[in-house]
Every structure is written in structure tokens, then in C-alpha cells.
Amino acid sequence: MRKPSILIVLFTLAALGQQAQAPVELTSEPSHHLVVDNKMVCAFAVSIDPGKSTLMHRHGHDYLSVSVGDAQIMNAKEGAQPAPVTFKDGDVRFAPSGIVHAVTNTGTTQFRNATIELLNPTTNQKPCTESCSVPVACDSADKAKCATVTKVFTSDQWTVSLVTLPAGGTWGQHSHAGGFLVVSLTDDDVAMKNQGQPDAHTKSKAGDIEWHNPVAHTVTNSGKNTAKSVLLEFNSQPAGGGSQSASARDALRSQDRK
């Protein structure tokens, strides 16, 4: 009879210990760092060192997770056996409200993701499996510099897309009817020209999370490397529904500098 490996035994014992702990709210879980807080979303930058675990915590809303880098974890849901999960960079997953779990990083590198709690009801959510490529106008003679936009998840209220913008490439003028959240998968240096305004240069690090209100703009990759990001775009936005929590964002950046 095959004996269980010592690692599995240790992870199982750790999970049992976590399940004995009373669940905490997401805002009280130390590995979850609040970055955006408005009427549409609460978005957290999550980081867990190898061999470390989160506290058992509760997700009170439907949520999306976006993996920043490859990762392997052990997911211990309350009342269930721990299960191994593998993520690839840019993976997007949806989970319904009410989940209570703890996560252990079983990989050799830091586990990072964006956890985006959806504060309004979600219906008919599903991964995109057909007609997922979004037409993008491109005037460049070198088509290798054209942006690509691919839908990866949809619902009645929002769409999640993977945006790839080669170095020197431009995503021509386009409109976002609702507010949108951008999760950077790479270190980016982009110039955004909003309609009727001068260029605004933005430098982002992989894992950065930024909220934007509805806009019509052009985006150009001013950096030397291909820029990749995951875009969560809402179909519409209620009055006063936008804006990023500057205090939460600045607190996170201050923490990263330490």
C-alpha cells in the first residue's frame, strides 16, 4: 500500500489547524492588501511567500481572481479536504459568494494574484469559448505592433479581457462605456491620450491594480517590452460608482517600498 508523502501529511495537518480557526473577513486577512474600494469593486493585491498560508477567510461577494505569474497552492475550503490548484500567469477564475477557505503556497516562488470582489449582482457568468477575439483597428504597417484583445470571461454585467500591446504598438482610439479595472501582468510604460487631453505617461509594475472611469482614449506602449494586462470592464456605471481608493493604493505602495 502506498504511503502518503510527508508533504501531503504536513499540508493536511496545517489545513486542519486553519479550519479550526474562526474565519476572518477579507479586509482582516494579512495577505490581502486593499487597493481599490468603490461602489463597483473591492480589489486586493494578494501575496503569499513559499510555504506560508493565509488565515481562514470569508468571501462575502462573488469574486474574480487574476493570477500574476505561475503558482501552485493548496486550497483548503471550510469542511472539505484540501485540494491542490495550479495557476498560469494571467489565469482568470470566478468564484461565487460565501466561500470560506485558506490558501497555502506550495510552490517555490511567491504566490501573487488580484482578488476582485464584485459588489453588485453577477448573472450568466462564463468563460469565453467562441468569438473571443475583439476586433482592434490598427494603422501600423507592421502588424506585429498591433494590439490584441481577447475576451476570457463574460457576464451580463461585465467582460474580462486579456490585452497584449507590443513594444511601440498602439491600441487606437476606443471607448470604455463603464468603469474598468486594469491588472498589469508585466512591467509597463504606456502613454494614454484621453480624448481632448495631452498624453499621460504611466509606469506600472506586474501586479499593479488600477481603476479607471469611463473614457475614450488611445494607448501606446512606450516601453521596450510587450505589455500584458487583464481588463475587467463594466457595461455601465451608476452615478458615483467610480474612483479608486487613493488611501488604500498609497498605503500599499508605501508598504512595497519598505
Side-chain angles (χ1 to χ4, degrees), residues 16 55 96 104-105 216:
L16 290 173
L55 299 177
T104 298
N105 182 358

Side-chain angles (χ1 to χ4, degrees), residues 7-94:
L7 284 177
I8 292 177
V9 171
L10 290 174
F11 284 131
T12 300
L13 290 174
L16 290 173
Q18 289 163 343
Q19 292 194 21
Q21 165 236 319
V24 300
E25 297 303 320
L26 202 56
T27 50
S28 299
E29 206 297 303
S31 300
H32 289 71
H33 310 284
L34 182 63
V35 182
V36 178
D37 182 9
N38 58 38
K39 293 182 179 180
M40 306 296 288
V41 299
C42 280
F44 300 81
V46 181
S47 57
I48 308 170
D49 290 332
K52 301 297 184 180
S53 303
T54 69
L55 299 177
M56 185 68 70
H57 57 275
R58 179 184 296 103
H59 291 271
H61 299 274
D62 296 343
Y63 70 95
L64 292 159
S65 65
V66 178
S67 184
V68 181
D70 298 347
Q72 297 83 42
I73 67 165
M74 190 71 71
N75 187 22
K77 291 185 180 180
E78 190 175 49
Q81 288 293 321
V85 183
T86 298
F87 295 96
K88 291 294 184 182
D89 185 39
D91 277 355
V92 178
R93 306 193 185 187
F94 174 88

Side-chain angles (χ1 to χ4, degrees), residues 190-253:
V190 300
M192 291 185 286
K193 182 175 178 58
N194 294 357
Q195 198 169 42
Q197 297 182 16
D199 288 3
H201 284 269
T202 302
K203 290 189 177 183
S204 302
K205 294 290 187 182
D208 280 357
I209 305 169
E210 292 283 346
W211 175 266
H212 300 268
N213 288 323
V215 69
H217 65 176
T218 300
V219 182
T220 299
N221 182 356
S222 306
K224 298 180 180 180
N225 302 307
T226 296
K228 293 185 177 181
S229 59
V230 169
L231 175 71
L232 165 63
E233 182 173 10
F234 290 90
N235 298 341
S236 61
Q237 180 170 312
S243 81
Q244 176 154 328
S245 171
S247 58
R249 181 190 64 232
D250 294 344
L252 177 62
R253 290 179 175 173

